[in-house]
Each structure stands twice: as C-alpha cells, then as structure tokens.
Amino acid sequence: MKKLLFTIALAVSAITVQAQEIDFGVKGGVNFAKLQGDSVEDTDGRTGFHVGLTGEYMFNSSFGLQAEAVYSQQGLQSEANGVESKLKLDYINIPILAKFYIADSGFSIEAGPQFGILVNDEFTQEGGLVDIEQDADAEELDLSAGGGFAYKFKEGTSLEGFMISARYMIGLNNVFEDNDTFGDDITNSNLQLSIGYKF
C-alpha cells in the first residue's frame, strides 16, 4: 500500500512539474474561411470568429510545441438572383503545432496538423420561393494541416504576455460524403488572424 501511494505521489508530482512548464493562454480572432472544390469555386467564403485555449511547452529557447482547443466558425456563402445561401460549419479545432523561434526576436514559425470536431452544420437559403433551413450532413471529423507566423511580446515590455499570429490551414479530407448539393470533393480552408494572452 505504501509503495502504491508513493508511486501515485511521484506521478502527481511529475504531472504538476510538467504543467508548471507549460505556458497556458487564451486566444481569439477572425476567420476568413472557404471551401475548396469545383462545385463551390464561385462561392464566397464565410467570415467568422474563433476563440479558445492554448498551451505551449518549450523544449529549449528556440523550439516549442503548442496545442490548442478552439471554437471556429467556418463554411461559405453565396448570392445569386436575389437568393442568399449560407453553409455554416462550426468546429472545435485542436491544432498541434511545432514552433521554431527566430533567435531572440519573439517571432516564430509554426506548422503542424489540426483535428476538427464538428459541433454545428447548417445550410440555409433565403430569398427563393421557399426558405430552406436544414442540416448539412457534414463529416464529424475534419483533418487539416498548415502553418503560419506568430509574434510573442518580450518580457519586460508593456505588452508582455500578449501574442499575435496569422495562420493558414488547408483541409486534407472531404467535408461531405455522398452529398447531392455540394458533391464529395470539397475540403476546408481557413485563414486565421489571432490575438492572445499567455499567463
């Protein structure tokens, strides 16, 4: 029993030490999202927002790993002959990004995969003979990859703790399967501009 308690205590201590070495934070910003594919090439993107939590572990002064959990509004919209169509795809996105810091400048380059969990999919059409509002039947999981740039304000400055970033993610799997409206060969893309704060 003592050995078990000692092992548990060691495990808890290790987890606590690791947590203390992770910089947690919050972020939010704007999305310029669009779908890629032949059947949607003439549509406009959906401008939405994202907000969520971040955690960064630094292996050394020039390399770190950042994971996030972010609510993200994506999709598309179009208007033709007075008929406005909107496809709302909302995800909880979980990017896992390698971050390479450029010397002591505060600038970093980030790249890696992103896993998206669909939490809302809705297709609406207004202005026609009949207004439409229905589920879009999108795939529940979305896999993306991409990268971008970030800047973390240095310690000792008036903006210490704040960071800004620009990131572009491109979908690797189809948003729909056997969809008569949009077709099968449709993927997500998203340009994301963010501001955040690390505690």
Side-chain angles (χ1 to χ4, degrees):
M1 185 66 178
K2 289 183 178 180
K3 288 184 178 180
L4 177 59
L5 291 175
F6 180 70
T7 302
I8 293 173
L10 283 179
V12 171
S13 299
I15 292 172
T16 302
V17 170
Q18 290 296 320
Q20 290 174 345
E21 296 176 350
I22 298 175
D23 289 331
F24 292 100
V26 294
K27 66 175 290 186
V30 62
N31 287 342
F32 300 99
K34 200 175 188 317
L35 295 185
Q36 305 288 336
D38 292 341
S39 63
V40 294
E41 61 181 359
D42 294 328
T43 62
D44 298 322
R46 180 189 181 195
T47 301
F49 72 89
H50 62 271
V51 62
L53 305 173
T54 68
E56 181 180 5
Y57 179 84
M58 295 297 298
F59 292 93
N60 52 50
S61 60
S62 60
F63 177 69
L65 191 67
Q66 179 164 303
E68 303 173 0
V70 179
Y71 171 77
S72 180
Q73 293 182 331
Q74 298 171 214
L76 58 75
Q77 61 185 30
S78 66
E79 186 172 352
N81 300 320
V83 179
E84 183 179 26
S85 301
K86 291 183 180 180
L87 174 63
K88 299 177 181 180
L89 299 173
D90 300 335
Y91 294 91
I92 298 296
N93 284 330
I94 305 171
I96 302 174
L97 306 171
K99 299 194 68 170
F100 302 90
Y101 283 86
I102 303 172
D104 193 31
S105 64
F107 286 97
S108 62
I109 301 171
E110 55 186 34
Q114 174 177 276
F115 306 91
I117 302 170
L118 186 71
V119 293
N120 178 58
D121 63 333
E122 180 181 294
F123 175 72
T124 62
Q125 195 171 76
E126 299 177 349
L129 294 176
V130 178
D131 289 347
I132 298 174
E133 181 175 343
Q134 62 186 34
D135 291 340
D137 294 327
E139 294 291 286
E140 293 184 358
L141 297 177
D142 184 70
L143 176 63
S144 302
F149 302 91
Y151 178 75
K152 183 164 58 176
F153 289 91
K154 297 181 180 180
E155 295 182 6
T157 66
S158 59
L159 293 176
E160 178 183 347
F162 284 94
M163 63 91 178
I164 55 176
S165 65
R167 183 185 304 165
Y168 182 74
M169 305 300 290
I170 185 75
L172 301 178
N173 66 311
N174 293 333
V175 174
F176 300 103
E177 183 177 349
D178 300 326
N179 188 286
D180 296 331
T181 302
F182 297 101
D184 299 339
D185 192 18
I186 304 292
T187 57
N188 273 304
S189 66
N190 186 25
L191 172 63
Q192 184 182 92
L193 304 179
S194 308
I195 184 170
Y197 183 82
K198 294 190 175 180
F199 303 107

